[in-house]
Amino acid sequence: MIALCTGIEVAYDDVGAGEPVVFLHGFPHNRTLWAPQTGALVDRSRCIAPDLRGFGGSSVAPPFSIDQYADDVVALLDALRIERAVVAGLSMGGYVAFALWRRHRARVRALILADTRPGPDSDEARQKRRELIALARAKGSSAVAESMIPGMVGKSTREKNAGLVDAMYQMMQNAPVDGVVGALEAMIARPDSAPTLPTIDVPTLVVVGEEDALTPVSEARAMHAAIPSSRLEVLAGAGHVSNFERPAAFNHVVSEFLGMLQYA
Ligand code: MLT
C-alpha cells in the first residue's frame, strides 16, 4: 500500500489485527526484511512495515535524516489513525526508534530494539561510510551489498544457508543509490542516543544475534543495563539480521514480549 505522508509516498504493509506494531528496517534493507515477522504475527498484532524514504517502494526524496525518518513514521501512523504503537527497529531502524522516542514518545507503546546501538559513529566509522558513499556513486548498490554482506549475516548462516545469504544480498543490491547515499549521510550525522536510554520508561525488548559482528552482544548488554524496564534476548546462530536468520526464535521472544504487554 502507499500513503502520502510529509509530501512523499510511503510504501508499507499493514496486515493482521490487534495491538499495532511498526517494524523499521535497517540499512540498506526494505520492508521485506520483516516478512518473517509480519507473516507470523498477524494473528496477534496489526503489523505495519514501511519502507523508509529512499528504500523499497517509498519516494527517493530528501531530506534524509534519522529525525526525518522518524517524522515520516509518525505521519504514517497519523494516516492510519493509530495513536500509539509498539516500535520495533533493527539496526538503523533502531536509530529511528530512538529518534521516535525523543521526538514523539507519546506515540510509542513499547520498544523492540534489535541488533542496534545507541552510540554515534566514531571518526573511523564516518570515514568508512564516506568510502561507501563513493563506492555507491561509482559502482552502484550491488557493490555496496557485496562489501556489506559478510558482516550482515552471521557465521552459521554463511556456512549453512546460502539461500538466505542470497536473499539478503538481493534485498540490499536493490536499494536505490540515492537512498543508500542519503541513509549513509543520515547515519553519519546521527546524534548520540546513549543519554536517551535512561529516559525510556516503556517496556523494552533488546534482541541481538549471538554472532552479530556489527552490533555485538556487548552493545546489547550495555543497552539493556541502561534502559530501566528492559529485557534482553540473545539468539543463538544468528548474526546482524537476527529476525531474518532465526525467524522462529525471534518471533518467539517477540510474541512473549507482546503477550506481557497486556499486563504492563
Ligand atoms: C544496519 O543494518 O542498519 C546497519 O548496519 C546500520 C549501520 O551501518 O550503522
Side-chain angles (χ1 to χ4, degrees):
M1 280 173 277
I2 300 277
L4 197 59
C5 303
T6 48
I8 63 158
E9 287 188 346
V10 174
Y12 66 100
D13 293 324
D14 181 0
V15 290
E19 174 110 67
V21 184
V22 181
F23 292 94
L24 304 176
H25 63 79
F27 170 85
H29 309 142
N30 59 52
R31 69 187 196 272
T32 64
L33 175 79
W34 295 109
Q37 282 64 53
T38 53
L41 298 170
V42 282
D43 290 340
R44 65 160 318 123
S45 304
R46 180 174 176 188
C47 300
I48 298 143
D51 287 325
L52 296 175
R53 71 167 64 206
F55 294 98
S58 290
S59 303
V60 184
F64 293 102
S65 73
I66 299 295
D67 283 352
Q68 183 63 54
Y69 294 141
D71 292 355
D72 293 344
V73 173
V74 165
L76 178 62
L77 291 180
D78 287 343
L80 300 178
R81 298 180 193 282
I82 294 172
E83 191 54 43
R84 278 177 103 203
V86 178
V87 176
L90 183 131
S91 199
M92 184 178 77
Y95 310 158
V96 179
F98 295 136
L100 266 163
W101 178 254
R102 279 192 293 273
R103 296 167 74 79
H104 308 280
R105 69 184 59 176
R107 312 299 293 269
V108 180
R109 165 76 180 94
L111 285 167
I112 299 171
L113 301 171
D115 301 280
T116 191
R117 59 153 49 92
D121 282 355
S122 62
D123 288 346
E124 191 193 344
R126 289 198 175 108
Q127 184 49 35
K128 282 198 181 139
R129 293 210 201 272
R130 288 190 193 103
E131 287 163 19
L132 216 47
I133 288 173
L135 183 68
R137 287 198 172 121
K139 301 206 166 141
S141 296
S142 54
V144 172
E146 197 121 346
S147 80
M148 288 185 71
I149 196 76
M152 193 56 69
V153 291
K155 185 168 176 290
S156 301
T157 301
R158 281 200 305 277
E159 284 173 2
K160 297 183 201 146
N161 200 339
L164 195 145
V165 177
D166 188 52
M168 179 47 56
Y169 174 81
Q170 296 301 334
M171 192 190 304
M172 292 160 71
Q173 71 134 15
N174 279 329
V177 169
D178 286 347
V180 166
V181 169
L184 285 164
E185 284 168 349
M187 289 191 285
I188 287 175
R190 79 186 190 281
D192 185 3
S193 292
T196 303
L197 302 184
T199 72
I200 296 175
D201 60 2
V202 291
T204 299
L205 172 65
V206 178
V207 192
V208 66
E210 195 173 27
E211 301 172 8
D212 186 340
L214 298 181
T215 49
V217 174
S218 55
E219 288 276 357
R221 284 197 198 290
M223 219 162 36
H224 166 51
I227 302 176
S229 339
S230 65
R231 60 188 286 185
L232 171 68
E233 298 284 355
V234 180
L235 304 186
H240 187 57
V241 279
S242 60
N243 73 304
F244 205 71
E245 294 175 65
R246 294 287 322 279
F250 191 95
N251 294 347
H252 177 74
V253 297
V254 166
S255 289
E256 225 173 54
F257 177 71
L258 294 176
M260 273 175 21
L261 278 186
Q262 52 190 319
Y263 307 107

